């Protein structure tokens, strides 16, 4: 059960507005980023809040063979929460997790980030 849990709150994001509002845009970004070597998507679910004509944020999860990525957006606050956990059972996946996390931070371009790293197990 050893692993790395990366958690962050992103404030005042300067990304394209649709990335915060549109579940399909959020899904595409998450799946692209989770394709980095060392992470293996095995399932996913994303939910659109609001409506197609008036989106109000999104939430999503990518289940990884190594564990998971969960993400939630608040377009009205230009805010995002991230939760990326990787297990290190057969190999150390920490570098892949950190790379994916940094790519997510870059994509959302926040002014302020509150982040935590938790070594588990």
């Amino acid at each position: 059960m050893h692993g790395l849990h990366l958690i962050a709150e992103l404030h005042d994001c300067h990304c394209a507005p649709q990335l915060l509002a549109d579940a399909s845009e959020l899904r595409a970004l998450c799946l692209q980023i989770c394709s980095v070597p060392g992470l293996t998507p095995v399932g996913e679910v994303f939910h659109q809040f609001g409506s197609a004509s008036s989106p109000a944020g999104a939430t999503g999860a990518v289940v990884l063979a190594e564990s998971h990525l969960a993400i939630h957006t608040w377009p009205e606050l230009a805010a995002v929460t991230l939760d990326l956990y990787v297990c290190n059972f057969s190999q150390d996946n920490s570098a892949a997790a950190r790379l994916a996390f940094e790519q997510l931070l870059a994509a959302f371009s926040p002014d302020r980030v509150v982040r935590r790293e938790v070594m588990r197990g």
Side-chain angles (χ1 to χ4, degrees):
M1 139 166 83
H2 296 281
L4 175 65
H5 203 158
L6 303 170
I7 304 164
E9 292 85 38
L10 314 182
H11 302 272
D12 302 316
C13 295
H14 294 283
C15 58
Q18 65 268 24
L19 188 54
L20 296 173
D22 185 341
S24 63
E25 293 281 333
L26 186 65
R27 176 185 176 271
L29 172 68
C30 290
L31 292 176
Q32 173 192 352
I33 286 175
C34 285
S35 69
V36 302
L39 300 180
T40 311
V42 295
E44 41 123 326
V45 63
F46 284 80
H47 176 75
Q48 178 72 59
F49 293 98
S51 64
S53 61
S54 183
T59 191
V62 178
V63 177
L64 303 168
E66 301 78 19
S67 200
H68 72 265
L69 165 66
I71 189 165
H72 312 279
T73 70
W74 286 268
E76 69 278 12
L77 301 174
V80 176
T81 60
L82 300 174
D83 177 336
L84 177 59
Y85 174 55
V86 294
C87 300
N88 293 328
F89 180 70
S90 61
Q91 68 181 20
D92 186 352
N93 295 301
S94 298
R98 285 191 175 96
L99 174 61
F101 209 71
E102 292 305 320
Q103 289 176 344
L104 285 165
L105 294 177
F108 288 106
S109 187
D111 278 346
R112 186 168 61 94
V113 177
V114 178
R115 76 190 280 172
R116 297 163 199 85
E117 287 193 12
V118 179
M119 298 305 294
R120 298 183 69 178

